[in-house]
Amino acid sequence: MKENPSVSIIMNCFNSEKYLVEAIESVFSQSFTNWEIIFWDNRSTDGSANIAKAYRHKLKYFLATKHTDLGVARNLALNQANGKYVGFLDCDDLFLKDKLKNQITFMEMHDYVMSYSSSIIIDCNGKEIKRRLTKNDSGHIFGKLLRHYEINMQSVLINKSTLVSKDLNFDVSLKFNPDYNLFMRIASMYPIGVLREPLVKYRVRKNSLSSQTLSIAADENKY
C-alpha cells in the first residue's frame, strides 16, 4: 500500500445490546489494526452504553443530546471520524477478519473513493442463510446500480476527503434509505470498486423495520 491509512468505523446504536458484543469484537479481531470505532449512542435505554464503554481502547463513545432519525445520527457520528476512510457497522452485523485489510489494499491499489463487497446473510442465531454475491464489475456503475442495487452498507468503505470536498452526507429528510441516496450520489460522480469476496455478515431479523418506515419506502425510492 502507498501508506498506512486509518479507518473510522461508524456504529450507530439504539437499544442494541443483544448482538453488540459480537459486532464490536468483529472489529477488534480485524487483521488490519489501524482503526477507530465511532460509537454513537442514540439515547439507548438498555445496556448498550455499558457494553460500549467497557472497551475504551480504540472505541470512542458519544452520547446524543437527544434521540434522532438515523440519517441525522449518522451525520453526527461522521463529524467525529478521524480516519482517511469511513465504514459502517450496524450493531447486529459482523465484519469478517480480513475485511479492512483486503478492502483497503484494493482501494489503495486502484485509487477508488468508495468500494463495497459481497456479503453473507445470517439468521438471528448467526447461522448462514445464503451468500449475496456482487454482480457488478468495478467502474462507473451508476446505471447498473439503478437497475440492480446490490450495496450492503456494512461492506462499504468511503474516502472521507471525498465526502468533505463534495459536501456529501446522509439526507436527513429520508428515513428509509439515506444510505442508498448517499452511495448513489457518489456512484454518479466516481468509479466504484466492487469486491467479489464476502467481507461482512448481515443479520436478518423479523420486524427489523417498522411498518411506518416500510410505508414510506416506495416514495423515498422514487425520490
Side-chain angles (χ1 to χ4, degrees), residues 10-14 16 40-42 66-78 88-91 153-154 169-179 208-209 213:
I10 307 297
M11 294 189 72
N12 288 96
C13 178
F14 179 65
S16 303
W40 191 265
D41 184 353
N42 203 359
K66 64 178 181 179
H67 181 79
T68 66
D69 289 336
L70 188 53
V72 175
R74 282 180 172 153
N75 284 337
L76 291 169
L78 273 175
F88 308 91
L89 181 62
D90 287 344
C91 296
M153 185 171 192
Q154 322 306 320
N169 53 29
F170 293 98
D171 188 331
V172 298
S173 69
L174 302 175
K175 296 183 179 181
F176 178 72
N177 55 11
D179 52 331
S208 60
L209 292 171
T213 304

Side-chain angles (χ1 to χ4, degrees), residues 178-192:
D179 52 331
Y180 171 88
N181 178 273
L182 175 60
F183 301 156
M184 290 298 282
R185 280 186 285 158
I186 296 172
S188 73
M189 294 184 283
Y190 298 100
I192 304 300

Side-chain angles (χ1 to χ4, degrees), residues 102-213:
N102 291 356
Q103 196 164 10
I104 290 170
T105 299
F106 175 71
M107 292 180 72
E108 293 279 297
M109 183 180 302
H110 300 285
D111 202 28
Y112 289 122
V113 302
M114 174 178 151
S115 70
Y116 67 93
S117 76
S118 297
S119 57
I120 298 172
I121 311 303
I122 60 175
D123 64 15
C124 60
N125 298 313
K127 182 179 178 180
E128 180 175 334
I129 299 173
K130 64 179 179 180
R131 299 197 170 204
R132 188 172 293 163
L133 303 178
T134 54
K135 294 181 171 60
N136 290 324
D137 294 321
S138 299
H140 290 279
I141 57 175
F142 177 75
K144 293 180 179 178
L145 288 171
L146 279 176
R147 293 187 294 271
H148 174 68
Y149 187 75
E150 62 175 6
I151 301 177
N152 179 293
M153 185 171 192
Q154 322 306 320
S155 76
V156 168
L157 274 188
I158 304 173
N159 190 311
K160 192 186 177 188
S161 65
T162 300
L163 300 179
V164 174
S165 64
K166 296 296 183 180
D167 194 25
L168 293 168
N169 53 29
F170 293 98
D171 188 331
V172 298
S173 69
L174 302 175
K175 296 183 179 181
F176 178 72
N177 55 11
D179 52 331
Y180 171 88
N181 178 273
L182 175 60
F183 301 156
M184 290 298 282
R185 280 186 285 158
I186 296 172
S188 73
M189 294 184 283
Y190 298 100
I192 304 300
V194 184
L195 295 99
R196 297 290 187 221
E197 64 177 313
L199 296 178
V200 298
K201 291 184 177 181
Y202 174 75
R203 195 183 306 269
V204 176
R205 293 185 296 133
K206 293 181 179 179
N207 303 319
S208 60
L209 292 171
S210 68
S211 57
Q212 178 185 0
T213 304

